[in-house]
Amino acid sequence: MAGALGGEGVAAGGGRRGGPLIVTEDAELLDDLLRLCAAAGAEPEVHHGPPGRRGAWERAPMVLVGDDAAGRCRGAGRRRGVMLVGRDQDDPDVWRRAVEIGAEYVLRLPDSEGWLVDQIANAAEGVGRPALTVGVLGGRGGSGASTLACALAVTAARTGRRTMLIDADPLGGGIDVLLGGERTDGMRWPDFAQSKGRLGGGALEDSLPALHGLRVLSWGRDDEVVVPPQAMRAVLAAARRLGGAVVVDLPRRVDEGVAEALAQLDLGLLVVPGELRAVAAAKRVASTAGIVLDDLRVVTRGPYAAGLDEGWVAQALGLPSVGELPLESGLLASQDSGTPPGADARGPLARFCAAFWEQAEAAGGASSATGLSGGGTP
């Protein structure tokens, strides 16, 4: 059982902070709370009553007060993020004690354990605005979706955004290859395939290969690994909590894991070459992805077949147009030498990506990131 007395939960700013302040003399309750803090990756400070050290009560990101200690905390200063924690489900006086200490929430264990772990982790990580999360799909094979995903991530990192690139296509060959980092140390999807529950955002970031100013989660070089939806959910949720930008390279086939990834996107970009067969294939991809993804837009790619252009393709698909993906000479040769797409800040691909991020940021999200090459909603 968890009951709210007011407020909007635990407020948190940017940057990783310390763990919660725990106030209790109940040894069994303390063991439970220490276990939950460990699960959340947080190191708490423990006191039997309000800490005598000046500022500790006010400075902690959150305060967990045991039922046994509520009376001793009556004189503590009022602040947000105070929770009264106990086990007695039928205690008639619990709400009175919560009001006396200014608690925002009343928690009964073990029922509230999962929720409390999330709140502790959020407070310790200093969760702020979640990352703008963009998925890239190909309308057909070889459309250039992975190239665009890589260029978006490289551009976001170069402009100072905290960036993570996640490869959700197990048959794509590994997006770390596009970045020239297939041999770089760090964890890959096989290391996270069994993940359940919550992952710490900082721990995820620290474990991944660092390439060109961003973090990359790609596939191993061994046998194919199936990533269940709960693992995809845990990884993407951890990545989003870090803030900045998350780019997800997606396959055209939607299974349960991909559906989970689609559900966490703010915006999807469907890359479609300007030819009739590609548009026909892209319609099927858009129809399937659109079951889960609310905001899907099209990026067209030339050269175009006779009678086709950016507006025609977008109109045929019934999707808003983000713009036309520019051609960049020497791109394949650059990749062979280990230079990733979008690395040339003055190149047309990097300029396209920079315009996308600027408009998305100016709009406060993905809702107005359209018309990057003079196009718009058809």
Side-chain angles (χ1 to χ4, degrees), residues 149-195:
C150 185
L152 283 169
V154 169
T155 302
R158 183 172 53 245
T159 53
R161 296 172 178 86
R162 192 174 194 171
T163 306
M164 190 174 294
L165 175 61
I166 296 176
D167 186 356
D169 185 359
L171 302 181
I175 206 164
D176 53 351
V177 176
L178 277 179
L179 291 160
E182 61 269 27
R183 293 184 177 86
T184 303
D185 291 339
M187 298 176 74
R188 264 76 173 178
W189 266 120
D191 301 302
F192 296 99
Q194 303 305 315
S195 297

mmCIF file of all heavy atoms in Angstrom, residues 149-195:
data_model
loop_
_atom_site.group_PDB
_atom_site.id
_atom_site.type_symbol
_atom_site.label_atom_id
_atom_site.label_comp_id
_atom_site.label_asym_id
_atom_site.label_seq_id
_atom_site.Cartn_x
_atom_site.Cartn_y
_atom_site.Cartn_z
ATOM 1 N N ALA A 149 20.625 7.049 -38.072
ATOM 2 C CA ALA A 149 20.661 6.905 -36.608
ATOM 3 C C ALA A 149 22.038 7.249 -36.067
ATOM 4 O O ALA A 149 22.180 7.966 -35.067
ATOM 5 C CB ALA A 149 20.269 5.484 -36.214
ATOM 6 N N CYS A 150 23.074 6.740 -36.732
ATOM 7 C CA CYS A 150 24.442 7.008 -36.303
ATOM 8 C C CYS A 150 24.762 8.499 -36.414
ATOM 9 O O CYS A 150 25.335 9.096 -35.500
ATOM 10 C CB CYS A 150 25.399 6.174 -37.144
ATOM 11 S SG CYS A 150 27.114 6.283 -36.636
ATOM 12 N N ALA A 151 24.380 9.108 -37.528
ATOM 13 C CA ALA A 151 24.669 10.535 -37.741
ATOM 14 C C ALA A 151 23.932 11.403 -36.727
ATOM 15 O O ALA A 151 24.475 12.405 -36.232
ATOM 16 C CB ALA A 151 24.289 10.938 -39.167
ATOM 17 N N LEU A 152 22.688 11.041 -36.398
ATOM 18 C CA LEU A 152 21.951 11.800 -35.385
ATOM 19 C C LEU A 152 22.658 11.743 -34.033
ATOM 20 O O LEU A 152 22.776 12.757 -33.326
ATOM 21 C CB LEU A 152 20.534 11.242 -35.247
ATOM 22 C CG LEU A 152 19.526 11.618 -36.328
ATOM 23 C CD1 LEU A 152 18.264 10.776 -36.191
ATOM 24 C CD2 LEU A 152 19.190 13.105 -36.274
ATOM 25 N N ALA A 153 23.130 10.551 -33.660
ATOM 26 C CA ALA A 153 23.800 10.402 -32.371
ATOM 27 C C ALA A 153 25.135 11.140 -32.353
ATOM 28 O O ALA A 153 25.471 11.834 -31.374
ATOM 29 C CB ALA A 153 24.009 8.927 -32.061
ATOM 30 N N VAL A 154 25.925 11.006 -33.404
ATOM 31 C CA VAL A 154 27.225 11.691 -33.473
ATOM 32 C C VAL A 154 27.027 13.203 -33.413
ATOM 33 O O VAL A 154 27.772 13.920 -32.721
ATOM 34 C CB VAL A 154 27.973 11.278 -34.756
ATOM 35 C CG1 VAL A 154 29.186 12.173 -34.989
ATOM 36 C CG2 VAL A 154 28.414 9.814 -34.665
ATOM 37 N N THR A 155 26.028 13.704 -34.111
ATOM 38 C CA THR A 155 25.763 15.146 -34.116
ATOM 39 C C THR A 155 25.298 15.628 -32.756
ATOM 40 O O THR A 155 25.726 16.689 -32.278
ATOM 41 C CB THR A 155 24.708 15.473 -35.182
ATOM 42 O OG1 THR A 155 25.162 15.027 -36.458
ATOM 43 C CG2 THR A 155 24.459 16.976 -35.254
ATOM 44 N N ALA A 156 24.417 14.873 -32.113
ATOM 45 C CA ALA A 156 23.940 15.264 -30.785
ATOM 46 C C ALA A 156 25.095 15.340 -29.799
ATOM 47 O O ALA A 156 25.192 16.284 -29.000
ATOM 48 C CB ALA A 156 22.883 14.275 -30.293
ATOM 49 N N ALA A 157 25.996 14.355 -29.843
ATOM 50 C CA ALA A 157 27.140 14.361 -28.929
ATOM 51 C C ALA A 157 28.074 15.527 -29.212
ATOM 52 O O ALA A 157 28.604 16.154 -28.288
ATOM 53 C CB ALA A 157 27.896 13.036 -29.049
ATOM 54 N N ARG A 158 28.286 15.837 -30.484
ATOM 55 C CA ARG A 158 29.194 16.925 -30.838
ATOM 56 C C ARG A 158 28.665 18.276 -30.361
ATOM 57 O O ARG A 158 29.439 19.182 -30.035
ATOM 58 C CB ARG A 158 29.398 16.962 -32.356
ATOM 59 C CG ARG A 158 30.393 18.037 -32.799
ATOM 60 C CD ARG A 158 30.755 17.957 -34.273
ATOM 61 N NE ARG A 158 29.587 17.946 -35.120
ATOM 62 C CZ ARG A 158 29.222 16.909 -35.886
ATOM 63 N NH1 ARG A 158 29.953 15.811 -35.907
ATOM 64 N NH2 ARG A 158 28.156 16.980 -36.633
ATOM 65 N N THR A 159 27.348 18.422 -30.279
ATOM 66 C CA THR A 159 26.767 19.687 -29.829
ATOM 67 C C THR A 159 26.572 19.733 -28.320
ATOM 68 O O THR A 159 25.880 20.619 -27.815
ATOM 69 C CB THR A 159 25.425 19.931 -30.542
ATOM 70 O OG1 THR A 159 24.569 18.790 -30.371
ATOM 71 C CG2 THR A 159 25.646 20.154 -32.032
ATOM 72 N N GLY A 160 27.165 18.778 -27.595
ATOM 73 C CA GLY A 160 27.179 18.845 -26.142
ATOM 74 C C GLY A 160 26.074 18.103 -25.435
ATOM 75 O O GLY A 160 25.997 18.161 -24.204
ATOM 76 N N ARG A 161 25.222 17.409 -26.170
ATOM 77 C CA ARG A 161 24.152 16.655 -25.520
ATOM 78 C C ARG A 161 24.693 15.334 -24.973
ATOM 79 O O ARG A 161 25.534 14.701 -25.596
ATOM 80 C CB ARG A 161 23.018 16.386 -26.502
ATOM 81 C CG ARG A 161 22.305 17.640 -26.994
ATOM 82 C CD ARG A 161 21.330 17.296 -28.103
ATOM 83 N NE ARG A 161 20.583 18.456 -28.566
ATOM 84 C CZ ARG A 161 21.004 19.303 -29.492
ATOM 85 N NH1 ARG A 161 22.194 19.130 -30.049
ATOM 86 N NH2 ARG A 161 20.266 20.331 -29.862
ATOM 87 N N ARG A 162 24.193 14.928 -23.849
ATOM 88 C CA ARG A 162 24.499 13.603 -23.317
ATOM 89 C C ARG A 162 23.771 12.603 -24.207
ATOM 90 O O ARG A 162 22.534 12.622 -24.296
ATOM 91 C CB ARG A 162 24.000 13.510 -21.881
ATOM 92 C CG ARG A 162 24.489 12.305 -21.108
ATOM 93 C CD ARG A 162 24.032 12.419 -19.665
ATOM 94 N NE ARG A 162 24.716 11.503 -18.785
ATOM 95 C CZ ARG A 162 24.602 11.541 -17.456
ATOM 96 N NH1 ARG A 162 23.824 12.460 -16.891
ATOM 97 N NH2 ARG A 162 25.263 10.680 -16.713
ATOM 98 N N THR A 163 24.499 11.727 -24.865
ATOM 99 C CA THR A 163 23.913 10.951 -25.958
ATOM 100 C C THR A 163 24.173 9.464 -25.794
ATOM 101 O O THR A 163 25.276 9.048 -25.438
ATOM 102 C CB THR A 163 24.488 11.411 -27.307
ATOM 103 O OG1 THR A 163 24.305 12.830 -27.440
ATOM 104 C CG2 THR A 163 23.802 10.711 -28.466
ATOM 105 N N MET A 164 23.134 8.669 -26.099
ATOM 106 C CA MET A 164 23.268 7.223 -26.137
ATOM 107 C C MET A 164 22.650 6.714 -27.435
ATOM 108 O O MET A 164 21.556 7.118 -27.817
ATOM 109 C CB MET A 164 22.601 6.575 -24.921
ATOM 110 C CG MET A 164 22.918 5.091 -24.784
ATOM 111 S SD MET A 164 22.276 4.369 -23.232
ATOM 112 C CE MET A 164 23.276 5.257 -22.015
ATOM 113 N N LEU A 165 23.376 5.833 -28.106
ATOM 114 C CA LEU A 165 22.916 5.196 -29.339
ATOM 115 C C LEU A 165 22.665 3.725 -29.042
ATOM 116 O O LEU A 165 23.569 3.008 -28.610
ATOM 117 C CB LEU A 165 23.965 5.359 -30.443
ATOM 118 C CG LEU A 165 23.686 4.655 -31.772
ATOM 119 C CD1 LEU A 165 22.397 5.153 -32.416
ATOM 120 C CD2 LEU A 165 24.870 4.866 -32.725
ATOM 121 N N ILE A 166 21.428 3.266 -29.272
ATOM 122 C CA ILE A 166 21.035 1.902 -28.944
ATOM 123 C C ILE A 166 20.660 1.169 -30.226
ATOM 124 O O ILE A 166 19.783 1.618 -30.980
ATOM 125 C CB ILE A 166 19.857 1.893 -27.947
ATOM 126 C CG1 ILE A 166 20.311 2.520 -26.627
ATOM 127 C CG2 ILE A 166 19.340 0.481 -27.724
ATOM 128 C CD1 ILE A 166 19.220 2.645 -25.600
ATOM 129 N N ASP A 167 21.317 0.066 -30.471
ATOM 130 C CA ASP A 167 21.053 -0.770 -31.636
ATOM 131 C C ASP A 167 20.020 -1.822 -31.264
ATOM 132 O O ASP A 167 20.307 -2.747 -30.511
ATOM 133 C CB ASP A 167 22.356 -1.431 -32.095
ATOM 134 C CG ASP A 167 22.199 -2.198 -33.390
ATOM 135 O OD1 ASP A 167 21.065 -2.290 -33.898
ATOM 136 O OD2 ASP A 167 23.218 -2.702 -33.905
ATOM 137 N N ALA A 168 18.795 -1.670 -31.782
ATOM 138 C CA ALA A 168 17.728 -2.619 -31.484
ATOM 139 C C ALA A 168 17.482 -3.591 -32.630
ATOM 140 O O ALA A 168 16.467 -4.298 -32.633
ATOM 141 C CB ALA A 168 16.434 -1.870 -31.155
ATOM 142 N N ASP A 169 18.390 -3.634 -33.591
ATOM 143 C CA ASP A 169 18.253 -4.523 -34.749
ATOM 144 C C ASP A 169 19.321 -5.610 -34.686
ATOM 145 O O ASP A 169 20.472 -5.393 -35.072
ATOM 146 C CB ASP A 169 18.394 -3.720 -36.035
ATOM 147 C CG ASP A 169 18.149 -4.575 -37.278
ATOM 148 O OD1 ASP A 169 17.901 -5.779 -37.133
ATOM 149 O OD2 ASP A 169 18.210 -4.021 -38.396
ATOM 150 N N PRO A 170 18.967 -6.808 -34.217
ATOM 151 C CA PRO A 170 19.986 -7.850 -34.054
ATOM 152 C C PRO A 170 20.571 -8.358 -35.366
ATOM 153 O O PRO A 170 21.645 -8.961 -35.378
ATOM 154 C CB PRO A 170 19.222 -8.975 -33.332
ATOM 155 C CG PRO A 170 17.794 -8.755 -33.679
ATOM 156 C CD PRO A 170 17.633 -7.274 -33.800
ATOM 157 N N LEU A 171 19.886 -8.101 -36.487
ATOM 158 C CA LEU A 171 20.365 -8.576 -37.785
ATOM 159 C C LEU A 171 21.032 -7.469 -38.592
ATOM 160 O O LEU A 171 21.325 -7.653 -39.776
ATOM 161 C CB LEU A 171 19.198 -9.176 -38.587
ATOM 162 C CG LEU A 171 18.447 -10.331 -37.912
ATOM 163 C CD1 LEU A 171 17.337 -10.839 -38.813
ATOM 164 C CD2 LEU A 171 19.408 -11.460 -37.560
ATOM 165 N N GLY A 172 21.292 -6.338 -37.970
ATOM 166 C CA GLY A 172 21.852 -5.205 -38.696
ATOM 167 C C GLY A 172 23.364 -5.198 -38.787
ATOM 168 O O GLY A 172 23.931 -4.302 -39.406
ATOM 169 N N GLY A 173 24.032 -6.135 -38.163
ATOM 170 C CA GLY A 173 25.489 -6.189 -38.244
ATOM 171 C C GLY A 173 26.214 -5.446 -37.158
ATOM 172 O O GLY A 173 27.443 -5.505 -37.081
ATOM 173 N N GLY A 174 25.477 -4.748 -36.280
ATOM 174 C CA GLY A 174 26.122 -4.035 -35.176
ATOM 175 C C GLY A 174 26.430 -2.599 -35.529
ATOM 176 O O GLY A 174 27.279 -2.322 -36.385
ATOM 177 N N ILE A 175 25.734 -1.669 -34.879
ATOM 178 C CA ILE A 175 25.935 -0.266 -35.230
ATOM 179 C C ILE A 175 27.283 0.253 -34.740
ATOM 180 O O ILE A 175 27.760 1.288 -35.206
ATOM 181 C CB ILE A 175 24.770 0.597 -34.688
ATOM 182 C CG1 ILE A 175 24.619 1.860 -35.546
ATOM 183 C CG2 ILE A 175 24.970 0.931 -33.201
ATOM 184 C CD1 ILE A 175 23.309 2.566 -35.359
ATOM 185 N N ASP A 176 27.929 -0.489 -33.819
ATOM 186 C CA ASP A 176 29.263 -0.064 -33.400
ATOM 187 C C ASP A 176 30.267 -0.166 -34.549
ATOM 188 O O ASP A 176 31.290 0.519 -34.546
ATOM 189 C CB ASP A 176 29.736 -0.875 -32.188
ATOM 190 C CG ASP A 176 29.658 -2.374 -32.400
ATOM 191 O OD1 ASP A 176 29.085 -2.818 -33.418
ATOM 192 O OD2 ASP A 176 30.164 -3.119 -31.538
ATOM 193 N N VAL A 177 29.965 -1.005 -35.553
ATOM 194 C CA VAL A 177 30.838 -1.096 -36.718
ATOM 195 C C VAL A 177 30.833 0.218 -37.490
ATOM 196 O O VAL A 177 31.870 0.678 -37.982
ATOM 197 C CB VAL A 177 30.398 -2.266 -37.630
ATOM 198 C CG1 VAL A 177 31.233 -2.300 -38.898
ATOM 199 C CG2 VAL A 177 30.508 -3.585 -36.876
ATOM 200 N N LEU A 178 29.652 0.847 -37.614
ATOM 201 C CA LEU A 178 29.568 2.148 -38.293
ATOM 202 C C LEU A 178 30.397 3.204 -37.583
ATOM 203 O O LEU A 178 30.871 4.152 -38.199
ATOM 204 C CB LEU A 178 28.113 2.612 -38.354
ATOM 205 C CG LEU A 178 27.232 2.064 -39.484
ATOM 206 C CD1 LEU A 178 25.823 2.609 -39.365
ATOM 207 C CD2 LEU A 178 27.817 2.398 -40.839
ATOM 208 N N LEU A 179 30.556 3.041 -36.280
ATOM 209 C CA LEU A 179 31.329 3.990 -35.486
ATOM 210 C C LEU A 179 32.797 3.598 -35.390
ATOM 211 O O LEU A 179 33.585 4.280 -34.740
ATOM 212 C CB LEU A 179 30.744 4.091 -34.076
ATOM 213 C CG LEU A 179 29.369 4.750 -33.976
ATOM 214 C CD1 LEU A 179 28.679 4.365 -32.682
ATOM 215 C CD2 LEU A 179 29.495 6.256 -34.077
ATOM 216 N N GLY A 180 33.165 2.491 -36.031
ATOM 217 C CA GLY A 180 34.553 2.030 -35.972
ATOM 218 C C GLY A 180 34.955 1.534 -34.605
ATOM 219 O O GLY A 180 36.138 1.581 -34.240
ATOM 220 N N GLY A 181 33.981 1.032 -33.816
ATOM 221 C CA GLY A 181 34.278 0.643 -32.434
ATOM 222 C C GLY A 181 33.923 -0.774 -32.086
ATOM 223 O O GLY A 181 33.669 -1.080 -30.913
ATOM 224 N N GLU A 182 33.934 -1.671 -33.081
ATOM 225 C CA GLU A 182 33.537 -3.050 -32.793
ATOM 226 C C GLU A 182 34.484 -3.755 -31.832
ATOM 227 O O GLU A 182 34.121 -4.753 -31.212
ATOM 228 C CB GLU A 182 33.400 -3.850 -34.092
ATOM 229 C CG GLU A 182 34.676 -3.956 -34.914
ATOM 230 C CD GLU A 182 34.805 -2.841 -35.940
ATOM 231 O OE1 GLU A 182 34.241 -1.742 -35.700
ATOM 232 O OE2 GLU A 182 35.476 -3.057 -36.961
ATOM 233 N N ARG A 183 35.710 -3.243 -31.690
ATOM 234 C CA ARG A 183 36.670 -3.870 -30.772
ATOM 235 C C ARG A 183 36.827 -3.084 -29.465
ATOM 236 O O ARG A 183 37.640 -3.446 -28.622
ATOM 237 C CB ARG A 183 38.036 -4.011 -31.460
ATOM 238 C CG ARG A 183 38.041 -4.986 -32.626
ATOM 239 C CD ARG A 183 39.453 -5.162 -33.195
ATOM 240 N NE ARG A 183 39.482 -6.138 -34.272
ATOM 241 C CZ ARG A 183 39.231 -5.869 -35.538
ATOM 242 N NH1 ARG A 183 38.938 -4.616 -35.896
ATOM 243 N NH2 ARG A 183 39.266 -6.814 -36.457
ATOM 244 N N THR A 184 36.052 -2.032 -29.304
ATOM 245 C CA THR A 184 36.150 -1.216 -28.100
ATOM 246 C C THR A 184 35.557 -1.963 -26.907
ATOM 247 O O THR A 184 34.504 -2.599 -27.012
ATOM 248 C CB THR A 184 35.402 0.117 -28.294
ATOM 249 O OG1 THR A 184 35.934 0.783 -29.434
ATOM 250 C CG2 THR A 184 35.550 1.009 -27.066
ATOM 251 N N ASP A 185 36.256 -1.902 -25.780
ATOM 252 C CA ASP A 185 35.787 -2.577 -24.577
ATOM 253 C C ASP A 185 34.465 -1.985 -24.095
ATOM 254 O O ASP A 185 34.225 -0.778 -24.217
ATOM 255 C CB ASP A 185 36.824 -2.471 -23.458
ATOM 256 C CG ASP A 185 38.070 -3.295 -23.750
ATOM 257 O OD1 ASP A 185 37.979 -4.228 -24.568
ATOM 258 O OD2 ASP A 185 39.122 -2.984 -23.159
ATOM 259 N N GLY A 186 33.648 -2.841 -23.535
ATOM 260 C CA GLY A 186 32.368 -2.409 -22.980
ATOM 261 C C GLY A 186 31.329 -3.497 -23.150
ATOM 262 O O GLY A 186 31.535 -4.482 -23.855
ATOM 263 N N MET A 187 30.204 -3.331 -22.496
ATOM 264 C CA MET A 187 29.152 -4.341 -22.524
ATOM 265 C C MET A 187 28.299 -4.206 -23.772
ATOM 266 O O MET A 187 28.144 -3.114 -24.329
ATOM 267 C CB MET A 187 28.301 -4.235 -21.261
ATOM 268 C CG MET A 187 29.095 -4.496 -19.981
ATOM 269 S SD MET A 187 28.143 -4.277 -18.460
ATOM 270 C CE MET A 187 27.123 -5.752 -18.499
ATOM 271 N N ARG A 188 27.739 -5.350 -24.208
ATOM 272 C CA ARG A 188 26.848 -5.412 -25.355
ATOM 273 C C ARG A 188 25.515 -6.032 -24.919
ATOM 274 O O ARG A 188 25.331 -6.411 -23.769
ATOM 275 C CB ARG A 188 27.475 -6.241 -26.472
ATOM 276 C CG ARG A 188 28.221 -5.424 -27.544
ATOM 277 C CD ARG A 188 29.551 -4.940 -27.079
ATOM 278 N NE ARG A 188 30.317 -4.292 -28.171
ATOM 279 C CZ ARG A 188 31.500 -3.746 -28.002
ATOM 280 N NH1 ARG A 188 32.086 -3.761 -26.814
ATOM 281 N NH2 ARG A 188 32.121 -3.163 -29.017
ATOM 282 N N TRP A 189 24.599 -6.150 -25.875
ATOM 283 C CA TRP A 189 23.269 -6.659 -25.568
ATOM 284 C C TRP A 189 23.266 -8.000 -24.835
ATOM 285 O O TRP A 189 22.438 -8.202 -23.938
ATOM 286 C CB TRP A 189 22.431 -6.752 -26.837
ATOM 287 C CG TRP A 189 21.582 -5.547 -27.095
ATOM 288 C CD1 TRP A 189 21.626 -4.714 -28.185
ATOM 289 C CD2 TRP A 189 20.533 -5.031 -26.261
ATOM 290 N NE1 TRP A 189 20.685 -3.714 -28.074
ATOM 291 C CE2 TRP A 189 19.992 -3.890 -26.904
ATOM 292 C CE3 TRP A 189 20.000 -5.424 -25.033
ATOM 293 C CZ2 TRP A 189 18.953 -3.145 -26.359
ATOM 294 C CZ3 TRP A 189 18.955 -4.677 -24.487
ATOM 295 C CH2 TRP A 189 18.442 -3.556 -25.142
ATOM 296 N N PRO A 190 24.131 -8.959 -25.182
ATOM 297 C CA PRO A 190 24.099 -10.216 -24.432
ATOM 298 C C PRO A 190 24.262 -10.044 -22.930
ATOM 299 O O PRO A 190 23.764 -10.868 -22.150
ATOM 300 C CB PRO A 190 25.270 -11.006 -25.042
ATOM 301 C CG PRO A 190 25.374 -10.493 -26.440
ATOM 302 C CD PRO A 190 25.068 -9.024 -26.334
ATOM 303 N N ASP A 191 24.933 -8.968 -22.513
ATOM 304 C CA ASP A 191 25.129 -8.724 -21.084
ATOM 305 C C ASP A 191 23.863 -8.209 -20.403
ATOM 306 O O ASP A 191 23.769 -8.228 -19.169
ATOM 307 C CB ASP A 191 26.259 -7.712 -20.876
ATOM 308 C CG ASP A 191 27.576 -8.185 -21.458
ATOM 309 O OD1 ASP A 191 28.036 -9.256 -21.039
ATOM 310 O OD2 ASP A 191 28.123 -7.507 -22.347
ATOM 311 N N PHE A 192 22.901 -7.718 -21.206
ATOM 312 C CA PHE A 192 21.684 -7.139 -20.630
ATOM 313 C C PHE A 192 20.435 -7.948 -20.945
ATOM 314 O O PHE A 192 19.340 -7.579 -20.521
ATOM 315 C CB PHE A 192 21.484 -5.710 -21.164
ATOM 316 C CG PHE A 192 22.560 -4.752 -20.770
ATOM 317 C CD1 PHE A 192 23.592 -4.449 -21.647
ATOM 318 C CD2 PHE A 192 22.561 -4.146 -19.525
ATOM 319 C CE1 PHE A 192 24.600 -3.568 -21.291
ATOM 320 C CE2 PHE A 192 23.555 -3.266 -19.157
ATOM 321 C CZ PHE A 192 24.588 -2.977 -20.042
ATOM 322 N N ALA A 193 20.576 -9.035 -21.679
ATOM 323 C CA ALA A 193 19.406 -9.772 -22.157
ATOM 324 C C ALA A 193 18.550 -10.325 -21.032
ATOM 325 O O ALA A 193 17.346 -10.538 -21.218
ATOM 326 C CB ALA A 193 19.838 -10.896 -23.095
ATOM 327 N N GLN A 194 19.138 -10.565 -19.879
ATOM 328 C CA GLN A 194 18.377 -11.115 -18.756
ATOM 329 C C GLN A 194 17.948 -10.051 -17.754
ATOM 330 O O GLN A 194 17.469 -10.369 -16.662
ATOM 331 C CB GLN A 194 19.211 -12.188 -18.039
ATOM 332 C CG GLN A 194 19.671 -13.324 -18.933
ATOM 333 C CD GLN A 194 18.524 -13.995 -19.645
ATOM 334 O OE1 GLN A 194 17.492 -14.278 -19.050
ATOM 335 N NE2 GLN A 194 18.694 -14.258 -20.945
ATOM 336 N N SER A 195 18.106 -8.793 -18.105
ATOM 337 C CA SER A 195 17.768 -7.712 -17.178
ATOM 338 C C SER A 195 16.270 -7.661 -16.930
ATOM 339 O O SER A 195 15.460 -7.788 -17.849
ATOM 340 C CB SER A 195 18.234 -6.364 -17.746
ATOM 341 O OG SER A 195 19.631 -6.337 -17.890
#
